[in-house]
Amino acid sequence: MIGRLNHVAIAVPDLSAATALYRDTLGATVSDPVPQPEHGVTVVFVELPNTKIELLHPLGENSPIAAFLERNSSGGIHHVCYEVDDIIAARDRLKEQGARVLGDGEPKIGAHDKPVLFLHPKDFVGTLIELEQA
Amino acid sequence: MIGRLNHVAIAVPDLSAATALYRDTLGATVSDPVPQPEHGVTVVFVELPNTKIELLHPLGENSPIAAFLERNSSGGIHHVCYEVDDIIAARDRLKEQGARVLGDGEPKIGAHDKPVLFLHPKDFVGTLIELEQA
């Protein structure tokens, strides 16, 4: 069912510093910061040959990564995103097997303008998983 | 400098359960467990089209993931591994820029029989990074 690893998301307390780290120290290609107010984050995309890293910084109030950064003040890996061909079929299959989908269980339009869902980390060995329609 | 994302490593408290989760619930192709006593882990490889997930379980005493699992009893993302063309050049560049390499700073032969190094998470926004010679 799961396909490509779309991205690894890293929550960072200082977006400029994290961007410089990936660009200058690790020598990767990075984007400009992209504010995504509807998702409560500003994102810098780190392009790797086979996938991408997304550096996430809180934007506005009630950012979904604010609590994570309170617990992990240096930053840390926040979630992984796997692509699926059919997000509704994937959701239904997961729910049948007892996995919990976060929120109201309906896909939302994600940061790449595609439907996404998040799965409960307690059902997936402590890992927050985003599913994105491929 | 950094190239492909070679893998994302997830430390898991129950390797059979985590393998079943990725195989049956998430529908991915998984390997048999591979004991790697020289690295203190047993690994199940989850093959994705563009990279892989490695499920790590402690093997023997002094496993490098034992303390992580004590802090994260449900499991969690342990590290990411980026490929580099020349691990010695990468190490020297990173050290020049003040980044700390774990251990004695010399590459070891990693789980894929290639030279690897680990970088200090405090220097990389709370993320443990493995570098592997491509």
Side-chain angles (χ1 to χ4, degrees), chain A residues 1-5 8 10-12 18 21-28 48-51 53 74-77 79-80 82 93-94 97 119 123-127 129, chain B residues 1-5 8 10-12 18 21-28 48-51 53 74-77 79-80 82 93-94 97 119 123-127 129:
Chain A
M1 184 176 74
I2 57 170
R4 294 178 71 257
L5 177 75
V8 177
I10 301 177
V12 305
L21 185 70
Y22 268 83
R23 182 188 60 219
D24 302 333
T25 306
L26 290 170
L48 301 182
N50 60 332
T51 188
I53 307 297
S74 303
I77 300 174
H79 67 265
V80 289
Y82 301 129
R93 169 180 168 153
L94 289 167
Q97 298 187 52
L119 307 177
D123 296 337
F124 292 91
V125 287
T127 305
I129 293 178
Chain B
M1 182 176 75
I2 57 171
R4 294 178 73 257
L5 177 74
V8 177
I10 300 177
V12 305
L21 184 71
Y22 267 84
R23 181 188 60 220
D24 303 333
T25 306
L26 290 170
L48 302 182
N50 59 332
T51 188
I53 307 296
S74 304
I77 300 173
H79 67 266
V80 289
Y82 301 129
R93 172 181 165 153
L94 290 166
Q97 298 188 53
L119 307 178
D123 295 337
F124 292 91
V125 287
T127 305
I129 293 177

Side-chain angles (χ1 to χ4, degrees), chain A residues 55-125:
Chain A
L55 305 176
L56 306 183
H57 186 71
L59 176 62
E61 294 181 10
N62 304 316
S63 170
I65 62 168
F68 179 90
L69 280 171
E70 280 171 24
R71 290 195 306 275
N72 303 274
S73 59
S74 303
I77 300 174
H78 185 261
H79 67 265
V80 289
C81 176
Y82 301 129
E83 297 178 5
V84 293
D85 285 335
D86 182 335
I87 200 161
I88 297 295
R91 176 198 64 184
D92 292 347
R93 169 180 168 153
L94 289 167
K95 286 177 72 175
E96 275 172 20
Q97 298 187 52
R100 286 167 286 179
V101 176
L102 297 188
D104 65 4
E106 295 304 317
K108 301 283 184 294
I109 297 303
H112 314 126
D113 294 325
K114 295 182 173 179
V116 301
L117 286 172
F118 283 89
L119 307 177
H120 201 303
K122 286 204 190 302
D123 296 337
F124 292 91
V125 287

Side-chain angles (χ1 to χ4, degrees), chain B residues 6-114:
Chain B
N6 185 277
H7 63 269
V8 177
I10 300 177
V12 305
D14 180 334
L15 190 56
S16 297
T19 302
L21 184 71
Y22 267 84
R23 181 188 60 220
D24 303 333
T25 306
L26 290 170
T29 300
V30 304
S31 76
D32 288 331
V34 180
Q36 300 190 322
E38 69 281 23
H39 298 293
V41 291
T42 301
V43 184
V44 166
F45 297 92
V46 179
E47 295 293 341
L48 302 182
N50 59 332
T51 188
K52 53 186 182 296
I53 307 296
E54 296 189 3
L55 305 176
L56 306 182
H57 187 70
L59 177 62
E61 294 182 8
N62 304 317
S63 171
I65 63 168
F68 180 88
L69 281 171
E70 279 171 25
R71 289 195 307 275
N72 303 274
S73 58
S74 304
I77 300 173
H78 184 261
H79 67 266
V80 289
C81 176
Y82 301 129
E83 297 178 3
V84 293
D85 286 334
D86 181 335
I87 200 162
I88 298 295
R91 176 198 64 183
D92 292 348
R93 172 181 165 153
L94 290 166
K95 286 177 70 174
E96 275 172 20
Q97 298 188 53
R100 285 168 287 179
V101 176
L102 297 188
D104 65 5
E106 295 304 315
K108 302 285 184 293
I109 297 303
H112 312 127
D113 294 326
K114 294 182 174 179

